[in-house]
Amino acid sequence: MLQVHNDMKQDFLKYQAQTSPYPLGMEISHAIGSHIYDTNHKKYLDFVAGVSACALGHQHPRVNEAIKNQLDKYSHVMVYGEYAQSPAVDYCKLLVSLLPPQLNKVYLVNSGTEACEGALKLVRRVTGRSQLISCHNAYHGNTMGSMSVMGFEERKQVFRPLIPDVDFITFNNKDDLQKITTKTAGIILESIQGGAGFIQPTNDFLVKVKQRCEEVGALMIIDEIQPGFGRTGKLFGFENYNVVPDVIIIGKGMGGGMPVGGFIANSNHMDLLSHDPKLGHITTFGGHPVIAAACLATLQEITETDLIKQTLVKERLFRKLLVHPLITEIRGKGLMLAAMTEDPEITNQVIFKCQDKGLILFWLLFEGCAIRITPPLTISEAEIIEGCAIILEALNEIMEENC
């Protein structure tokens, strides 16, 4: 049995820096499959998957075996880009084989926000231009460069000054595309806007962005950190929208729960980071062999099974079950879904009530009415039925309490 400190929650609050005033503070014992267990032996069905990071659920045997096997060989041996290490090489080779031919070189880093930083540097290096364009309500990470292209002023005002020469457009507004000019190095967009409320592109918006970029010589970065790795019914979200970006950034689900990120571009562009100046981007632990082994196992499992195809089947089941007067719509695609309510307070009540009932849900960053539903791709139909019943029970209680 795991030995748990009696004051773990108090120590968590005292010794670990917090990201919000009121963290949930659940004391974790262990997790397996689609479930997380607390130190009181309570079992929770997980509809969040570590905020889309645990694509194969918890303790997936293929991922665990790959991690353990690599640990027995070697762990970190040299800074990224100097030694050839089979886990990273094999992973990048497989990943490139699954992408459009122009996306043929991968830079592995440690997180999604670092991947964003590298991509922003890359488009400036390739074009020799400085202007960056992002979208209102966009989220691409929380380091200074990534925050500069965050489209939510409330979260970044106190950290200014940020990177200069950044402008914003409205997602799905084609008239705004005239802001992309010959001064623009690149535009960064999520293939599905996450923090804004799981908003999909409409009316070929991404196609029109790419066309405008080609007209003026700018580059298009697509953020696949959350939609990527099978969550939307395709390996990557952009594949749903008939567009091939110049750069994609990846993270979250790619590591089977391990910390990782990456950015991918054409080799002619990516090779520019190696000279003038050399070490144009550098990371010590990027491509870590243990992490790369987990990434390889995760990608193999996703692509060698019917998990991607099943995401759309499971989406239909969620949409069929989650019908209730307090749910105004279900946004998103595949297993990247948001159940919308009319009021943030209703959303808060649903999330807290469901946790009490043994179901983990969560919020989105900027859209207070959204209930995040991003379970592991491995979630079963029986588990979906069980979790949706809990959500409906919570909604019914809220209706009764407000009568």
Side-chain angles (χ1 to χ4, degrees):
M1 291 289 292
L2 291 172
Q3 295 297 314
V4 179
H5 195 289
N6 290 334
D7 299 318
M8 182 162 70
K9 185 173 181 178
Q10 288 82 354
D11 286 351
F12 162 67
L13 296 171
K14 182 176 181 179
Y15 297 111
Q16 279 192 251
Q18 305 303 308
T19 57
S20 69
Y22 306 105
L24 293 174
M26 186 190 298
E27 298 177 69
I28 303 303
S29 167
H30 61 287
I32 188 165
S34 301
H35 292 90
I36 296 173
Y37 297 78
D38 70 16
T39 53
N40 293 317
H41 313 293
K42 183 174 178 178
K43 178 180 178 181
Y44 299 84
L45 179 58
D46 185 4
F47 268 17
V48 176
V51 189
S52 304
C54 302
L56 300 178
H58 305 283
Q59 300 292 326
H60 191 280
R62 187 168 188 171
V63 177
N64 276 12
E65 181 181 10
I67 290 170
K68 292 172 184 176
N69 287 343
Q70 183 57 41
L71 279 171
D72 287 337
K73 297 175 182 176
Y74 58 91
S75 184
H76 178 70
V77 291
M78 177 54 69
V79 296
Y80 183 68
E82 291 296 329
Y83 290 176
Q85 301 172 62
S86 61
V89 172
D90 292 346
Y91 176 67
C92 292
K93 183 176 180 180
L94 176 59
L95 184 55
V96 163
S97 76
L98 299 167
L99 286 165
Q102 55 268 59
L103 294 169
N104 55 23
K105 185 159 278 192
V106 184
Y107 198 121
L108 295 174
V109 293
N110 304 288
S111 66
T113 193
E114 188 186 342
C116 177
E117 298 283 344
L120 295 177
K121 290 168 65 177
L122 179 64
V123 298
R124 283 185 164 181
R125 175 66 178 86
V126 171
T127 64
R129 304 171 182 176
S130 63
Q131 187 191 49
L132 301 168
I133 292 178
S134 184
C135 287
H136 298 295
N137 293 326
Y139 181 76
H140 302 287
N142 216 41
T143 46
M144 294 296 276
S146 301
M147 186 179 288
S148 300
V149 292
M150 181 197 298
F152 198 77
E153 187 62 25
E154 178 185 329
R155 298 285 179 89
K156 61 186 191 179
Q157 180 59 45
V158 299
F159 300 108
R160 287 190 178 280
L162 299 171
I163 291 178
D165 208 2
V166 178
D167 201 358
F168 292 87
I169 66 172
T170 298
F171 198 74
N172 283 330
N173 185 343
K174 66 181 180 61
D175 294 334
D176 275 3
L177 299 185
Q178 294 307 307
K179 289 186 176 182
I180 306 172
T181 71
T182 53
K183 296 181 179 180
T184 305
I187 179 169
I188 182 168
L189 313 94
E190 300 153 272
S191 58
I192 297 176
Q193 278 204 304
F198 289 4
I199 299 172
Q200 295 191 67
T202 57
N203 299 318
D204 291 323
F205 180 67
L206 296 185
V207 173
K208 292 169 184 174
V209 172
K210 182 63 184 298
Q211 290 171 344
R212 180 61 180 166
C213 285
E214 291 175 345
E215 289 172 5
V216 300
L219 299 182
M220 181 184 189
I221 305 168
I222 288 289
D223 182 340
E224 290 287 346
I225 292 169
Q226 189 159 195
F229 295 94
R231 189 156 288 279
T232 68
K234 298 284 188 180
L235 185 58
F236 292 104
F238 72 82
E239 297 175 275
N240 292 296
Y241 307 110
N242 301 310
V243 68
V244 179
D246 298 292
V247 187
I248 64 173
I249 57 179
I250 54 178
K252 284 192 183 291
M254 69 185 282
M258 301 296 280
V260 68
F263 58 106
I264 309 169
N266 185 269
S267 60
N268 291 334
H269 290 167
M270 196 73 86
D271 289 348
L272 294 175
L273 293 176
S274 68
H275 60 88
D276 301 323
K278 62 183 178 180
L279 306 179
H281 194 67
I282 189 168
T283 174
T284 297
F285 289 112
H288 190 287
V290 177
I291 305 298
C295 290
L296 179 60
T298 299
L299 184 59
Q300 289 170 332
E301 183 69 16
I302 289 172
T303 56
E304 292 173 5
T305 64
D306 67 346
L307 282 173
I308 294 178
K309 180 180 178 181
Q310 283 298 314
T311 60
L312 299 180
V313 176
K314 293 169 183 177
E315 176 193 354
R316 289 194 290 271
L317 181 57
F318 271 112
R319 291 184 180 276
K320 177 183 177 182
L321 295 172
L322 290 179
V323 177
H324 193 277
L326 293 182
I327 294 178
T328 59
E329 64 175 314
I330 304 291
R331 292 184 188 169
K333 189 172 183 62
L335 291 178
M336 183 177 174
L337 301 174
M340 307 300 296
T341 70
E342 291 183 348
D343 188 275
E345 184 54 34
I346 296 175
T347 291
N348 291 341
Q349 289 182 55
V350 171
I351 292 170
F352 289 125
K353 282 180 176 289
C354 285
Q355 178 168 309
D356 290 341
K357 297 174 185 294
L359 174 68
I360 296 174
L361 301 168
F362 209 61
W363 297 266
L364 297 186
L365 280 174
F366 310 138
E367 174 50 81
C369 292
I371 302 168
R372 169 187 284 275
I373 301 173
T374 55
L377 305 188
T378 50
I379 193 93
S380 70
E381 290 191 5
E383 289 167 338
I384 292 172
I385 292 169
E386 175 191 351
C388 287
I390 295 173
I391 295 172
L392 295 176
E393 180 183 335
L395 289 165
N396 286 335
E397 289 180 5
I398 292 168
M399 284 188 70
E400 292 172 3
E401 290 165 3
N402 292 331
C403 284

